PDB file of all heavy atoms in Angstrom:
ATOM      1  N   GLY A 190    -110.991 178.014 227.566  1.00  0.00           N
ATOM      2  CA  GLY A 190    -111.573 177.776 228.782  1.00  0.00           C
ATOM      3  C   GLY A 190    -112.811 176.904 228.738  1.00  0.00           C
ATOM      4  O   GLY A 190    -113.476 176.577 229.829  1.00  0.00           O
ATOM      5  N   TYR A 191    -113.192 176.458 227.541  1.00  0.00           N
ATOM      6  CA  TYR A 191    -114.331 175.576 227.423  1.00  0.00           C
ATOM      7  C   TYR A 191    -113.896 174.209 226.734  1.00  0.00           C
ATOM      8  O   TYR A 191    -114.699 173.524 226.113  1.00  0.00           O
ATOM      9  CB  TYR A 191    -115.324 176.147 226.482  1.00  0.00           C
ATOM     10  CG  TYR A 191    -115.998 177.355 227.134  1.00  0.00           C
ATOM     11  CD1 TYR A 191    -115.503 178.659 226.906  1.00  0.00           C
ATOM     12  CD2 TYR A 191    -117.224 177.194 228.021  1.00  0.00           C
ATOM     13  CE1 TYR A 191    -116.119 179.727 227.528  1.00  0.00           C
ATOM     14  CE2 TYR A 191    -117.822 178.355 228.486  1.00  0.00           C
ATOM     15  CZ  TYR A 191    -117.339 179.603 228.205  1.00  0.00           C
ATOM     16  OH  TYR A 191    -117.895 180.678 228.837  1.00  0.00           O
ATOM     17  N   GLN A 192    -112.705 173.799 227.016  1.00  0.00           N
ATOM     18  CA  GLN A 192    -112.264 172.514 226.479  1.00  0.00           C
ATOM     19  C   GLN A 192    -112.888 171.356 227.243  1.00  0.00           C
ATOM     20  O   GLN A 192    -113.169 171.395 228.474  1.00  0.00           O
ATOM     21  CB  GLN A 192    -110.736 172.432 226.619  1.00  0.00           C
ATOM     22  CG  GLN A 192    -109.954 173.376 225.767  1.00  0.00           C
ATOM     23  CD  GLN A 192    -109.638 174.651 226.383  1.00  0.00           C
ATOM     24  OE1 GLN A 192    -110.255 175.021 227.363  1.00  0.00           O
ATOM     25  NE2 GLN A 192    -108.726 175.431 225.806  1.00  0.00           N
ATOM     26  N   LEU A 193    -113.238 170.299 226.469  1.00  0.00           N
ATOM     27  CA  LEU A 193    -113.715 169.096 226.929  1.00  0.00           C
ATOM     28  C   LEU A 193    -115.002 169.263 227.879  1.00  0.00           C
ATOM     29  O   LEU A 193    -115.210 168.567 228.804  1.00  0.00           O
ATOM     30  CB  LEU A 193    -112.684 168.271 227.739  1.00  0.00           C
ATOM     31  CG  LEU A 193    -111.495 167.868 226.939  1.00  0.00           C
ATOM     32  CD1 LEU A 193    -110.433 167.152 227.824  1.00  0.00           C
ATOM     33  CD2 LEU A 193    -111.864 166.988 225.811  1.00  0.00           C
ATOM     34  N   LEU A 194    -115.921 170.145 227.450  1.00  0.00           N
ATOM     35  CA  LEU A 194    -117.180 170.234 228.124  1.00  0.00           C
ATOM     36  C   LEU A 194    -117.981 169.125 227.708  1.00  0.00           C
ATOM     37  O   LEU A 194    -118.161 168.759 226.503  1.00  0.00           O
ATOM     38  CB  LEU A 194    -117.854 171.581 227.707  1.00  0.00           C
ATOM     39  CG  LEU A 194    -117.467 172.873 228.482  1.00  0.00           C
ATOM     40  CD1 LEU A 194    -118.245 174.020 227.945  1.00  0.00           C
ATOM     41  CD2 LEU A 194    -117.674 172.717 229.928  1.00  0.00           C
ATOM     42  N   PRO A 195    -118.797 168.444 228.583  1.00  0.00           N
ATOM     43  CA  PRO A 195    -119.716 167.374 228.262  1.00  0.00           C
ATOM     44  C   PRO A 195    -120.920 167.967 227.592  1.00  0.00           C
ATOM     45  O   PRO A 195    -121.116 169.157 227.550  1.00  0.00           O
ATOM     46  CB  PRO A 195    -119.957 166.719 229.526  1.00  0.00           C
ATOM     47  CG  PRO A 195    -119.723 167.796 230.618  1.00  0.00           C
ATOM     48  CD  PRO A 195    -118.605 168.719 230.103  1.00  0.00           C
ATOM     49  N   PRO A 196    -121.772 167.064 227.036  1.00  0.00           N
ATOM     50  CA  PRO A 196    -123.020 167.571 226.422  1.00  0.00           C
ATOM     51  C   PRO A 196    -123.869 168.373 227.404  1.00  0.00           C
ATOM     52  O   PRO A 196    -123.748 168.266 228.686  1.00  0.00           O
ATOM     53  CB  PRO A 196    -123.779 166.264 225.966  1.00  0.00           C
ATOM     54  CG  PRO A 196    -122.600 165.288 225.775  1.00  0.00           C
ATOM     55  CD  PRO A 196    -121.581 165.650 226.792  1.00  0.00           C
ATOM     56  N   SER A 197    -124.772 169.209 226.902  1.00  0.00           N
ATOM     57  CA  SER A 197    -125.510 170.199 227.676  1.00  0.00           C
ATOM     58  C   SER A 197    -126.407 169.468 228.824  1.00  0.00           C
ATOM     59  O   SER A 197    -126.786 170.125 229.785  1.00  0.00           O
ATOM     60  CB  SER A 197    -126.325 171.138 226.792  1.00  0.00           C
ATOM     61  OG  SER A 197    -127.320 170.324 226.101  1.00  0.00           O
ATOM     62  N   TRP A 198    -126.830 168.259 228.500  1.00  0.00           N
ATOM     63  CA  TRP A 198    -127.755 167.653 229.487  1.00  0.00           C
ATOM     64  C   TRP A 198    -126.900 166.973 230.665  1.00  0.00           C
ATOM     65  O   TRP A 198    -127.571 166.452 231.595  1.00  0.00           O
ATOM     66  CB  TRP A 198    -128.551 166.498 228.804  1.00  0.00           C
ATOM     67  CG  TRP A 198    -127.750 165.456 228.077  1.00  0.00           C
ATOM     68  CD1 TRP A 198    -127.175 164.347 228.701  1.00  0.00           C
ATOM     69  CD2 TRP A 198    -127.399 165.368 226.642  1.00  0.00           C
ATOM     70  NE1 TRP A 198    -126.455 163.644 227.790  1.00  0.00           N
ATOM     71  CE2 TRP A 198    -126.672 164.208 226.529  1.00  0.00           C
ATOM     72  CE3 TRP A 198    -127.667 166.179 225.622  1.00  0.00           C
ATOM     73  CZ2 TRP A 198    -126.120 163.868 225.265  1.00  0.00           C
ATOM     74  CZ3 TRP A 198    -127.236 165.801 224.380  1.00  0.00           C
ATOM     75  CH2 TRP A 198    -126.358 164.723 224.247  1.00  0.00           C
ATOM     76  N   SER A 199    -125.664 167.027 230.584  1.00  0.00           N
ATOM     77  CA  SER A 199    -124.781 166.572 231.624  1.00  0.00           C
ATOM     78  C   SER A 199    -124.778 167.552 232.788  1.00  0.00           C
ATOM     79  O   SER A 199    -125.091 168.686 232.551  1.00  0.00           O
ATOM     80  CB  SER A 199    -123.403 166.178 231.126  1.00  0.00           C
ATOM     81  OG  SER A 199    -122.611 165.862 232.230  1.00  0.00           O
ATOM     82  N   ARG A 200    -124.342 167.105 233.904  1.00  0.00           N
ATOM     83  CA  ARG A 200    -124.257 168.078 235.053  1.00  0.00           C
ATOM     84  C   ARG A 200    -123.373 169.195 234.916  1.00  0.00           C
ATOM     85  O   ARG A 200    -123.549 170.302 235.332  1.00  0.00           O
ATOM     86  CB  ARG A 200    -123.937 167.190 236.332  1.00  0.00           C
ATOM     87  CG  ARG A 200    -123.719 167.992 237.679  1.00  0.00           C
ATOM     88  CD  ARG A 200    -123.376 167.114 238.737  1.00  0.00           C
ATOM     89  NE  ARG A 200    -123.171 167.848 240.013  1.00  0.00           N
ATOM     90  CZ  ARG A 200    -122.718 167.325 241.095  1.00  0.00           C
ATOM     91  NH1 ARG A 200    -122.507 165.956 241.297  1.00  0.00           N
ATOM     92  NH2 ARG A 200    -122.530 168.048 242.248  1.00  0.00           N
ATOM     93  N   TYR A 201    -122.234 168.855 234.158  1.00  0.00           N
ATOM     94  CA  TYR A 201    -121.163 169.985 234.039  1.00  0.00           C
ATOM     95  C   TYR A 201    -121.289 170.522 232.624  1.00  0.00           C
ATOM     96  O   TYR A 201    -120.280 171.204 232.216  1.00  0.00           O
ATOM     97  CB  TYR A 201    -119.843 169.346 234.278  1.00  0.00           C
ATOM     98  CG  TYR A 201    -119.685 168.811 235.657  1.00  0.00           C
ATOM     99  CD1 TYR A 201    -119.647 167.433 235.998  1.00  0.00           C
ATOM    100  CD2 TYR A 201    -119.475 169.638 236.730  1.00  0.00           C
ATOM    101  CE1 TYR A 201    -119.557 166.911 237.258  1.00  0.00           C
ATOM    102  CE2 TYR A 201    -119.385 169.166 238.093  1.00  0.00           C
ATOM    103  CZ  TYR A 201    -119.387 167.797 238.241  1.00  0.00           C
ATOM    104  OH  TYR A 201    -119.358 167.269 239.547  1.00  0.00           O
TER     105      TYR A 201
END
Side-chain angles (χ1 to χ4, degrees):
Y191 291 91
Q192 291 89 345
L193 297 179
L194 276 181
S197 60
W198 58 83
S199 175
R200 178 181 177 183
Y201 300 103

